[in-house]
Amino acid sequence: MYPIMASVLVLLACSAPRKAIKPADELQSLINDSALLHAHVGIMVTDASNMKTIAAFNEHRYFVPASNTKLWTCYAGMKYLGDSLVAGYLQPQDESTVLLKSNGDPTFLHPDYAGHPLADALKKYKTVQWQNATMQTTEYGNGWSWNDYDATYMTPRSSLPLFGNVATYAVKNGALVSEPAAALGLVGNAGNFKDTALRIFRKFDDPYFTVMDQGRAKRVTTTLFLTPQSASQLAAVHLGNDWFFDRKAAAAGTWKAVYSQPTDSMLKPLMHRSDNFFAEQTLLMISNQWFGVMNENKVIDSLLKADLRALPDKPRWADGSGLSRYNLFTPADYIWLLRQMQQEFPMERLKEILPTGNDGTLTNYYKSLEGKLFAKTGTLAGVVALSGYMYAKSGKLLLFSTIVNNHNGAAPAVRRAVEKYLLTVWEKN
């Protein structure tokens, strides 16, 4: 009987929930703040020099992190995309024809970048044969809010992005114009439109638009849903050559990689403006590099089994951007990741990629910590998150993660409450 009782006691001890460190006064004040009073709150702050815990509350409980998910994507991109992005692979057939394998590069023809080496290379040929787009995933991620499909924050993924997969339509002198100009060809009734304002409509999984009369806006920015056919059409018009798409396996032979932009020139806006599209395409590029197909789930599964296998709490990771509410991570996971990034990459590189106080998505917040705090925000309805690095008043480097779920108030009020708390942590350390 005694051995049995001992076993029961051991099992009870193992199954007991992990206790959070008792909150200090300032942490208790945050938890009791009116903006967070009915919310679920998770916090962890550690000293980077010795990983001693400074504050913790619900640090091993799971939360929806919103765009804090991009920290995991950024880690993967920094580690595996190399110094420069591969825009695509070319195999010339003769002086007039070239074969193209796309690589999911989101900067291809993106207006934020002045030079586009792949476009320059393709313009030299009369005919482009685009082979075997290797998408093995959907344009929209699992757990995304599908009714926002035409909102630019939810740009659909594709194997050959063009212009950031976004187009702007406007009325000029009573006629419809577009940026890029090639996107005008995706509007079925563009030639018949003679109004002074517009309303533009695209079905969920359709690349083509219809312009409605009696619209209210003079300028509308919307997403491009690119099929191989519509992408070929856009590229042909923009580059001035003939495009053909072939679903068969890409031809054997020697393929030459064409590089586009420095990797960090894509990762920086990914983090500074929380670019969902750049984040999603980052995982697809890594997938294409590793597996020859574009599938975010393959990359996520591999990362969790290898690079991230030592995480303190097993997460549920669904996408690259954090648009999905299926994502679940703990604050302790984020502290582990921040530590890992600090160990694997120079701190100066991290400080360049992450926004600092009063910068990017932190504009108007942490003004006094400009150059001292470097972090990623996260926001969805009912979700506010912030995780990153902070150089305290003493000069010591702190790692922190704060995630608030299920608040039912104004997000700015939650952000200000968290800001007040972190400023106190900065002052006392």
Side-chain angles (χ1 to χ4, degrees):
M1 180 174 180
Y2 292 103
I4 294 175
M5 288 297 295
S7 299
V8 170
L9 290 173
V10 170
L11 287 173
L12 288 173
C14 292
S15 62
R18 288 171 285 193
K19 293 182 180 180
I21 293 174
K22 186 177 180 180
D25 290 343
E26 58 268 19
L27 180 50
Q28 192 65 57
S29 295
L30 172 64
I31 296 166
N32 292 335
D33 189 283
S34 59
L36 286 75
L37 192 56
H38 301 292
H40 300 164
V41 182
I43 294 170
M44 192 169 188
V45 183
T46 65
D47 184 332
S49 65
N50 55 21
M51 294 309 292
K52 180 180 178 181
T53 300
I54 294 172
F57 182 72
N58 289 337
E59 71 275 21
H60 290 290
R61 292 195 176 182
Y62 289 99
F63 295 86
V64 176
S67 283
N68 255 206
T69 305
K70 292 184 177 72
L71 278 167
W72 305 92
T73 303
C74 184
Y75 168 76
M78 291 177 72
K79 189 166 185 177
Y80 291 112
L81 285 181
D83 294 334
S84 299
L85 303 176
V86 176
Y89 302 87
L90 298 182
Q91 185 180 134
Q93 300 299 287
D94 51 46
E95 291 184 356
S96 64
T97 303
V98 66
L99 305 184
L100 165 68
K101 284 198 302 185
S102 55
N103 193 49
D105 177 11
T107 71
F108 182 51
L109 298 180
H110 196 292
D112 285 0
Y113 298 88
H116 298 283
L118 180 60
D120 295 338
L122 293 172
K123 286 178 182 178
K124 299 175 182 179
Y125 297 92
K126 181 180 183 299
T127 302
V128 177
Q129 294 183 359
W130 175 22
Q131 295 199 331
N132 191 33
T134 55
M135 283 281 285
Q136 286 191 1
T137 188
T138 54
E139 286 79 3
Y140 302 100
N142 291 328
W144 291 12
S145 180
W146 70 267
N147 52 312
D148 293 337
Y149 69 89
D150 58 351
T152 54
Y153 80 84
M154 207 175 90
T155 306
R157 307 177 289 208
S158 65
S159 60
L160 181 66
L162 300 169
F163 317 108
N165 285 6
V166 167
T168 298
Y169 294 92
V171 178
K172 186 175 182 181
N173 299 325
L176 188 68
V177 296
S178 68
E179 299 174 6
L184 194 61
L186 298 178
V187 182
N189 61 336
N192 300 327
F193 182 77
K194 301 298 180 184
D195 209 338
T196 58
L198 64 96
R199 180 164 60 93
I200 195 159
F201 175 74
R202 174 178 66 77
K203 293 181 180 178
F204 177 73
D205 57 354
D206 192 333
Y208 297 99
F209 296 90
T210 299
V211 176
M212 310 289 193
D213 289 336
Q214 290 83 48
R216 296 182 179 180
K218 292 189 176 182
R219 186 179 180 89
V220 175
T221 301
T222 187
T223 60
L224 296 174
F225 183 94
L226 294 184
T227 63
Q229 290 73 25
S230 63
S232 297
Q233 176 184 335
L234 273 175
V237 172
H238 185 79
L239 298 178
N241 45 20
D242 298 323
W243 278 59
F244 300 93
F245 179 70
D246 189 348
R247 291 188 181 277
K248 293 186 297 185
T254 302
W255 291 86
K256 179 182 178 181
V258 179
Y259 293 88
S260 58
Q261 316 299 334
T263 297
D264 287 3
S265 75
M266 185 271 295
L267 293 177
K268 183 175 180 177
L270 188 163
M271 303 302 275
H272 277 238
R273 66 180 180 227
S274 199
D275 195 303
N276 295 322
F277 183 59
F278 280 12
E280 294 299 329
Q281 296 295 137
T282 292
L283 292 187
L284 296 190
M285 285 188 288
I286 297 171
S287 176
N288 201 41
Q289 174 182 312
W290 286 358
F291 308 109
V293 297
M294 299 183 194
N295 185 312
E296 76 283 5
N297 294 318
K298 286 179 174 289
V299 172
I300 289 171
D301 184 63
S302 294
L303 288 169
L304 290 176
K305 289 178 178 177
D307 305 73
L308 308 177
R309 65 185 180 277
L311 282 171
D313 304 298
K314 184 180 179 181
R316 185 169 72 186
W317 184 6
D319 66 3
S321 61
L323 284 171
S324 177
R325 289 186 179 271
Y326 295 161
N327 291 307
L328 289 174
F329 291 88
T330 70
D333 284 339
Y334 276 99
I335 296 301
W336 185 96
L337 175 66
L338 293 166
R339 175 65 166 172
Q340 195 69 17
M341 294 177 78
Q342 180 199 3
Q343 290 180 330
E344 293 192 33
F345 312 119
M347 197 63 202
E348 289 306 311
R349 185 184 180 194
L350 290 169
K351 288 160 66 174
E352 182 66 22
I353 290 174
L354 291 169
T356 187
N358 198 32
D359 179 39
T361 55
L362 288 172
T363 299
N364 295 324
Y365 291 88
Y366 303 96
K367 292 182 179 181
S368 63
L369 297 186
E370 184 176 352
K372 301 171 185 175
L373 179 143
F374 302 87
K376 181 69 196 77
T377 56
T379 308
L380 284 172
V383 178
V384 170
L386 185 69
S387 300
Y389 305 91
M390 179 168 62
Y391 289 92
K393 187 175 182 179
S394 66
K396 72 170 62 172
L397 178 61
L398 307 181
L399 315 178
F400 70 89
S401 179
T402 64
I403 311 178
V404 179
N405 277 191
N406 295 351
H407 74 84
N408 197 28
V414 178
R415 294 191 195 100
R416 290 300 182 194
V418 173
E419 179 184 36
K420 180 181 178 181
Y421 167 70
L422 288 176
L423 288 173
T424 303
V425 172
W426 178 87
E427 179 73 26
K428 291 189 174 184
N429 287 275

